[in-house]
Amino acid sequence: AEQPLLSYESGPSSSSSALSSTSESNLPSWVEPAAWRGVIVILCALWASNFAAAKLVMAEPGVDSSLYAVARFSLAFAALAPGAVASLKKANMDWETLKTSLQCGSWVAFGYLGQTLGLLSTTASRSCVICSMHCVFVAVVAEFYRVTRSQVETKYDYQRLLPAALAVIGVAIVELQGAGGAPTIGDALSFAQPIGFGMGYLTLEELMKKKPEAALPVSALKLLVVSTASFLMFEAAPLFNGAATEFAFTLPDFTPIISSPLALGGILYTGLITTAAALWIESIAFARVPATDASIILTTEPLIAALFGAVALGETFGMSDYVGATMIIGACGLAVLMDNSQEECAVGEDDDNDTDDCEPERKRPFWSF
């Protein structure tokens, strides 16, 4: 998940009138936390709908995966670019921040392109189940980082592999016994999602620790990289599908999208709502919801995606799919809970105590996009 695009002070001296009015409200204390968790549920549903929406758009005549990706991510970047440019001075961008932002965007692009290409030959629900493994991937890699970067001798906690093993079993059940049929090349391409989104999250987390004020420009740069990668995929597509024998630069022809109300609506929906707008709303909501709570809510995404796939695409989700998805969701929840319990630092320790291998509590959940 992104670092908040808007900054809010968390103490009693906050200058935000919205927060002040909320704190002075006569509503019960549980109302606001419950409302923000409701926002996370809505975001989860929006992201889950991406899979079915993408398949509907790419099923339209003349709209292939590369054209869809160019249109969606270029539109999302254009929506965030004006605000990002306006905040550049406040963000105080330097070369290191720029380089890390581009690196983060490259990982995210890897995940998104794998998702887009994978959806050509796999179901929306199966793709989302595979995508949900990102939280397990992050937990395992984060533990590796903790061990390798520690200044004191530290051993790898092999309990971290328990959620990964549970997730692998769940994926095996979905792949071998699920209603989506035998494994396809699209399933293999879909595994770019947990890797790309997971590494993007880890990179973003380190960047935001150093430059929290640069969240909006960083977000725009990430989308710039994704849209550029989508354009390169569009240019290379004729070579891969046999439509051309040599490279020839061509500009995207958006006529098939513009002439199809379904395709145009899908691009506007995924580009503006589930990518650009959701990114902005996410940044505000996640500042008010604990990382563990948000992560556990977001692990329900595969089941919501299965519902969208059944309604919009007529896809089936059999008993084996539910069993496998439940195991993967359980693995994600277990990974998040283990991560939270092992990242709490002692409060009030003397400054000369060695706490180099203790990381602060996470402020964002295991979610990239």
Side-chain angles (χ1 to χ4, degrees):
E2 303 292 345
Q3 176 77 6
L5 306 185
L6 302 177
S7 60
Y8 296 94
E9 298 176 348
S10 58
S13 60
S14 174
S15 59
S16 171
S17 59
L19 292 180
S20 298
S21 60
T22 302
S23 61
E24 296 172 359
S25 172
N26 293 325
L27 292 174
S29 59
W30 58 267
V31 171
E32 184 180 2
W36 284 114
R37 283 160 178 77
V39 172
I40 298 295
V41 173
I42 294 173
L43 286 175
C44 182
L46 288 175
W47 286 321
S49 69
N50 271 330
F51 298 88
K55 286 193 72 84
L56 285 173
V57 173
M58 291 187 291
E60 289 296 287
V63 184
D64 59 11
S65 58
S66 59
L67 184 63
Y68 164 75
V70 169
R72 173 188 174 183
F73 296 114
S74 298
L75 181 62
F77 167 71
L80 287 186
V85 172
S87 64
L88 277 177
K89 184 176 181 181
K90 178 181 178 181
N92 191 25
M93 295 284 287
D94 54 27
W95 169 247
E96 186 64 27
T97 304
L98 175 63
K99 183 176 67 173
T100 308
S101 300
L102 297 177
Q103 178 187 354
C104 182
S106 299
W107 281 115
V108 174
F110 178 69
Y112 268 129
L113 296 185
Q115 177 190 98
T116 303
L117 294 173
L119 284 170
L120 293 175
S121 56
T122 191
T123 64
S125 55
R126 180 176 283 185
S127 176
C128 189
V129 166
I130 295 172
C131 179
S132 69
M133 293 182 64
H134 66 87
C135 59
V136 177
F137 177 85
V138 167
V140 172
V141 175
E143 175 66 9
F144 174 77
Y145 282 174
R146 185 188 69 83
V147 173
T148 56
R149 297 176 180 179
S150 176
Q151 297 183 7
V152 297
E153 185 176 353
T154 306
K155 293 183 179 180
Y156 190 94
D157 184 2
Y158 287 97
Q159 289 184 353
R160 292 286 191 171
L161 299 181
L162 179 59
L166 185 61
V168 168
I169 295 173
V171 169
I173 293 174
V174 172
E175 290 290 332
L176 301 178
Q177 301 293 330
T184 66
I185 185 64
D187 297 337
L189 292 171
S190 296
F191 276 95
Q193 297 174 97
I195 298 173
F197 295 154
M199 289 302 300
Y201 168 78
L202 291 167
T203 306
L204 178 67
E205 181 181 44
E206 293 191 359
L207 178 58
M208 289 296 99
K209 286 179 182 178
K210 302 174 182 177
K211 286 281 187 178
E213 69 279 6
L216 182 53
V218 167
S219 300
L221 283 170
K222 286 165 56 182
L223 283 174
L224 174 62
V225 174
V226 176
S227 59
T228 301
S230 301
F231 180 74
L232 294 176
M233 182 177 73
F234 173 83
E235 294 296 331
L239 298 176
F240 289 109
N241 59 27
T245 57
E246 59 183 26
F247 177 79
F249 179 81
T250 56
L251 291 174
D253 181 8
F254 296 112
T255 302
I257 294 176
I258 298 173
S259 61
S260 168
L262 177 61
L264 181 60
I267 292 296
L268 293 174
Y269 174 72
T270 57
L272 295 178
I273 298 178
T274 67
T275 303
L279 189 67
W280 177 71
I281 298 173
E282 167 199 46
S283 65
I284 302 173
F286 284 174
R288 293 162 173 79
V289 179
T292 301
D293 291 6
S295 297
I296 291 176
I297 292 171
L298 290 171
T299 56
T300 62
E301 184 182 359
L303 300 182
I304 302 176
L307 177 62
F308 278 112
V311 173
L313 306 171
E315 296 179 351
T316 57
F317 207 66
M319 182 56 66
S320 297
D321 296 286
Y322 282 111
V323 172
T326 300
M327 295 185 71
I328 293 173
I329 291 172
C332 292
L334 180 60
V336 170
L337 292 173
M338 291 174 62
D339 184 79
N340 185 71
S341 64
Q342 295 186 17
E343 287 181 353
E344 294 180 351
C345 294
V347 178
E349 293 183 346
D350 294 335
D351 292 339
D352 33 359
N353 282 357
D354 188 359
T355 57
D356 290 333
D357 60 338
C358 183
E359 298 179 3
E361 182 182 357
R362 295 186 185 276
K363 301 300 181 186
R364 294 173 300 280
F366 292 143
W367 177 257
S368 324
F369 311 83

